[in-house]
Structure formats: structure tokens, C-alpha cells
Amino acid sequence: MPRLSQWFIRAAFIYLLSGFTVGALLLAHKGLPLHPALWSWLPAHIEFLLFGWVVQVTMGMAFWILPRYWQQPRRPNPGYATIAFVLLNLGIWLVVAGTTFRAGPWFLPAGRAAEGAAVAFFALHAWRRIVSREGT
Amino acid sequence: MPSLTRWYIKSALIYLAAALLLAVILALPPSANLPLFIRYLNPAYFHLFLVGWVTQMIFGVIYWMFPIITRAQPRGNAHLGWASYGLLNVGLLLRVVGEPLVGARPEAGFGWLLAVSALLQWLAAVIFVILAWPRVKEKYRGG
């Protein structure tokens, strides 16, 4: 497993734990009320699990197992995938700042833009690796 | 494919089918006169989809495909894997039962079902990460 996939997947595991922790508190709060302010963490719960866990673990796996080239670099343009990793994680925290922490009206759109750009950079990296065994 | 992965993936497919069936029921018009508790199953639908299907499918594939630790114990402690599988599924099913009960009859005292469900699912995630974390590494080359 390449180093960048390890970064994606370890980060995804941390978001899985964070998302499940917030989710467990929210679910328990539905049954046995804990604190009314907990509901402000619902957007963070969704963000951590959809983008932090599902999208990030998928990107990490894809960077690892999509077909590689016969010659170096085996995975073309790895810099694009690295940028995707940075932008995705930046985007997640901008969205959480804009929703759960109400940091300001521009945090949410900036976060979504960063997440969208992350997907675009990852697609730029992966596109040419989506091929048959014959390379077509 | 290891036995635990087969259980994860087959369970994931069942949850996907259940989630889509529930989606059909939730989309029925008010004139269908569904029982009150159905109205409280919307979060259960999302979680059947995202925990039961997506997360469980990912867990199964990770347990199968990630680099092995050693030849002697390739995927770590299998008991931890089965514990995570059991806790996740019991926790999720408890939610599907408990959430409409609590929503429709909040005075009936079923709130503890949701707290137990939350704890079981959280433990499942923690145990799975403990199991899978050492396998996030370069390919095993012996030794």
C-alpha cells in the first residue's frame, strides 16, 4: 500500500471514530437526554462520515488498487492526489467551522468548494488509470 | 475471501435491500394511512444505508484486502473482527426497533434502547479500527 493511501486511510479511520462518537452521543441523547446543544454537532457527524470516512477511504483504496503503469512513475501525477488529500481535509474542517461552530457565512461555501476541488484533483490523477488490462 | 468478509458483504447486501424497501414505504402518500411509528423510521433508513450497507461493505473489503500482518496471523485477532461485526449489527438493529418506539411512545421508557444501540455501534467502530490499523502499511514481505 503506497504512503499516500496510508495517509488517506488513517485519516478516514480517525473520521470514522469521530463520526461514530458524535453519532453515538446524538443517538443516546434521543433516548436519554444529555444536553440540548448536542444537536449542533449533527452537521459535523454527517460531514465526518460522508466525506471524512466514505469519500476518503474510497480515494485511498482507489489510489492503491487502480491499474498502475509498467514503468515509473507507476502511479501518474501523484501530486494531484496529494493535493486532493489536503483539499478534502481542509474542506471538511471549513464546513464544520461554518455549520457546527458558526464561524461565518463563507466557511460553508469555501468548504464545499475545497471538497469539490479535491474531487477534481483526484479525478485528474485517477482518470488515466481507469483502463483495461490492455491499457485501453 | 475470509469467512468474516463473506458475512460482512452478505449482510451489507441485505441492509441495502431493506433500506430501499423502507425508502419505498416512506415515500408512500399520506392517503396510505401507515401506522404512526413508520414516520419515525426516516433516520433508520439513512443508517441502514450508510452503516448497514456502505460502512459494512467497506469493513468487509478492508478485512479481506489490506496487507497481512504476518503469515501466522494474517488478519490479526479474528475474534475482534467477529466482535465488531456482531456489535455493529446488533446495535444497528436495536436502533431500527428502538427509534420508532421512542418516537411514537416517548413516555413508554424505551430510551435506553437507543443508548445501548449507540454504545454497541461505537464499540464496533473502535474495535474495527484497532483491528485494521496495523494493516495500513506496505505489503508484507516476510520476516
Side-chain angles (χ1 to χ4, degrees):
Chain A
M1 184 186 293
R3 186 59 58 92
L4 183 59
S5 286
Q6 294 178 36
W7 278 94
F8 268 120
I9 291 167
R10 286 199 174 121
F13 279 156
I14 291 168
Y15 282 113
L16 173 72
L17 292 180
S18 309
F20 264 60
T21 301
V22 176
L25 288 170
L26 288 170
L27 182 59
H29 175 65
K30 268 189 184 179
L32 306 170
L34 301 171
H35 195 286
L38 270 174
W39 280 113
S40 64
W41 281 84
L42 180 63
H45 166 63
I46 295 168
E47 198 67 17
F48 288 164
L49 288 174
L50 278 184
F51 287 90
W53 164 236
V54 177
V55 173
Q56 190 143 238
V57 81
T58 309
M59 285 183 174
M61 296 281 279
F63 186 77
W64 175 31
I65 65 174
L66 283 175
R68 286 167 290 168
Y69 290 1
W70 289 108
Q71 295 171 329
Q72 294 291 348
R74 305 287 306 276
R75 295 178 175 85
N77 300 321
Y80 287 157
T82 306
I83 294 170
F85 173 77
V86 173
L87 285 174
L88 183 66
N89 287 283
L90 177 68
I92 290 166
W93 282 102
L94 285 172
V95 169
V96 171
T99 52
T100 297
F101 297 115
R102 300 178 187 278
W106 291 102
F107 280 80
L108 178 59
R112 291 285 179 240
E115 289 169 349
V119 172
F121 273 103
F122 193 83
L124 276 175
H125 158 77
W127 201 265
R128 291 171 67 194
R129 292 176 64 190
I130 304 169
V131 292
S132 68
R133 271 184 81 84
E134 293 73 36
T136 55
Chain B
M1 184 185 286
S3 174
L4 179 57
T5 292
R6 296 203 298 273
W7 277 86
Y8 267 127
I9 294 178
K10 285 179 178 170
S11 305
L13 286 168
I14 292 169
Y15 280 116
L16 176 62
L20 295 180
L21 179 65
L22 188 53
V24 172
I25 294 169
L26 289 168
L28 290 174
S31 58
N33 283 326
L34 295 169
L36 177 66
F37 75 89
I38 296 285
R39 172 185 321 169
Y40 296 100
L41 279 169
N42 216 35
Y45 158 63
F46 287 118
H47 289 84
L48 283 172
F49 199 98
L50 283 165
V51 178
W53 160 242
V54 177
T55 296
Q56 193 146 227
M57 175 66 89
I58 294 170
F59 279 9
V61 172
I62 285 176
Y63 188 75
W64 173 30
M65 290 188 60
F66 271 24
I68 61 170
I69 301 171
T70 62
R71 291 258 176 250
Q73 203 175 34
R75 296 183 171 87
N77 186 339
H79 295 300
L80 285 181
W82 285 106
S84 175
Y85 171 83
L87 289 166
L88 189 73
N89 284 281
V90 173
L92 183 55
L93 292 174
L94 213 51
R95 175 185 198 143
V96 173
V97 174
E99 205 157 29
L101 273 176
V102 172
R105 296 182 57 207
E107 76 290 349
F110 289 117
W112 62 271
L113 279 177
L114 298 185
V116 173
S117 163
L119 179 65
L120 297 185
Q121 292 180 77
W122 181 79
L123 281 173
V126 171
I127 292 172
F128 189 83
V129 170
I130 289 171
L131 184 67
W133 191 274
R135 296 176 61 194
V136 183
K137 65 185 188 73
E138 294 284 331
K139 187 177 177 181
Y140 175 71
R141 298 183 197 282

